Amino acid sequence: MGRRRHLRWWLAAFVVSLLSFLSLWLPEFFEGDGAAGCAGYGPLPSGLAALWSDLEWMWLDFRQQVESTYGRYLVLNGLPMASVLLSGVVAGWSKRWPGTLVGLMAALIAAVVALHWAFMSFSYLLLLSCAGWEGRLPWMVWRLLLMIGFGSVVVLLIAGVRIRAAACPRPTSSASRR
């Protein structure tokens, strides 16, 4: 039992990623479509506005390639769950470095999806500050919930990788034993 204690972090990360994935269907319970639009994003400092504009367009170009259909949208948000499951299996039955490598790759995938929702949340916040908040608070909370959920997966995976690395003994050479 003591050797596999680190797997509880992977289990927690899997549960959080599953709940985050299932929360994609929360908007079915909201009224309206959550659409917000206005001519500009509102008052931002000029340097931040220029930087945000460049970052947003780069991210939108990348995201459009992934999200062109609803199925791909589900794949994007289901990828952290699948990668956590795979990395948990590898971490449970492999040596030290493959488990660490696959765990860090799963954390990177979850971080990309969390970044996606961070950009979505910030864009929606800028639109709401221009268009108004009336009836759109649940839509903002939903975007933030997904960002926090996938961000939590990253934290749990990193914690699991660190605990696994500390629990697995490092091979020692015969020279260091003397």
Side-chain angles (χ1 to χ4, degrees):
M1 173 67 183
R3 260 187 91 202
R4 305 238 184 243
R5 276 189 359 199
H6 63 276
L7 290 179
R8 72 176 111 173
W9 292 95
W10 268 270
L11 179 63
F14 179 75
V15 168
V16 171
S17 64
L18 176 66
L19 291 174
S20 296
F21 181 74
L22 291 176
S23 69
L24 287 171
W25 285 274
L26 276 178
E28 299 293 325
F29 301 109
F30 304 158
E31 289 187 26
D33 63 355
C38 60
Y41 278 129
L44 278 179
S46 62
L48 181 60
L51 175 66
W52 177 250
S53 178
D54 292 342
L55 283 174
E56 185 179 31
W57 282 113
M58 285 177 12
W59 187 254
L60 284 174
D61 289 341
F62 172 72
R63 199 169 65 201
Q64 279 181 336
Q65 295 172 6
V66 176
E67 279 190 347
S68 60
T69 64
Y70 190 69
R72 290 183 185 164
Y73 182 74
L74 290 177
V75 168
L76 172 72
N77 291 291
L79 200 56
M81 185 175 50
S83 65
V84 167
L85 185 62
L86 177 68
S87 72
V89 169
V90 171
W93 286 287
S94 71
K95 300 222 183 262
R96 180 188 171 137
W97 71 268
T100 301
L101 181 65
V102 174
L104 291 175
M105 290 301 293
L108 180 64
I109 290 169
V112 167
V113 175
L115 182 65
H116 161 76
W117 285 106
F119 273 105
M120 294 284 283
S121 300
F122 191 66
S123 296
Y124 196 69
L125 176 72
L126 292 176
L127 286 173
L128 289 182
S129 55
C130 178
W133 285 82
E134 187 175 322
R136 296 185 182 104
L137 182 62
W139 295 92
M140 184 66 201
V141 171
W142 172 65
R143 286 170 172 83
L144 289 173
L145 178 69
L146 285 161
M147 178 190 70
I148 291 169
F150 289 120
S152 298
V153 170
V154 173
V155 171
L156 290 168
L157 283 172
I158 296 296
V161 166
R162 291 191 68 200
I163 288 172
R164 183 180 191 282
C168 291
R170 292 184 180 194
T172 58
S173 67
S174 61
S176 65
R177 290 184 193 165
R178 292 181 195 178

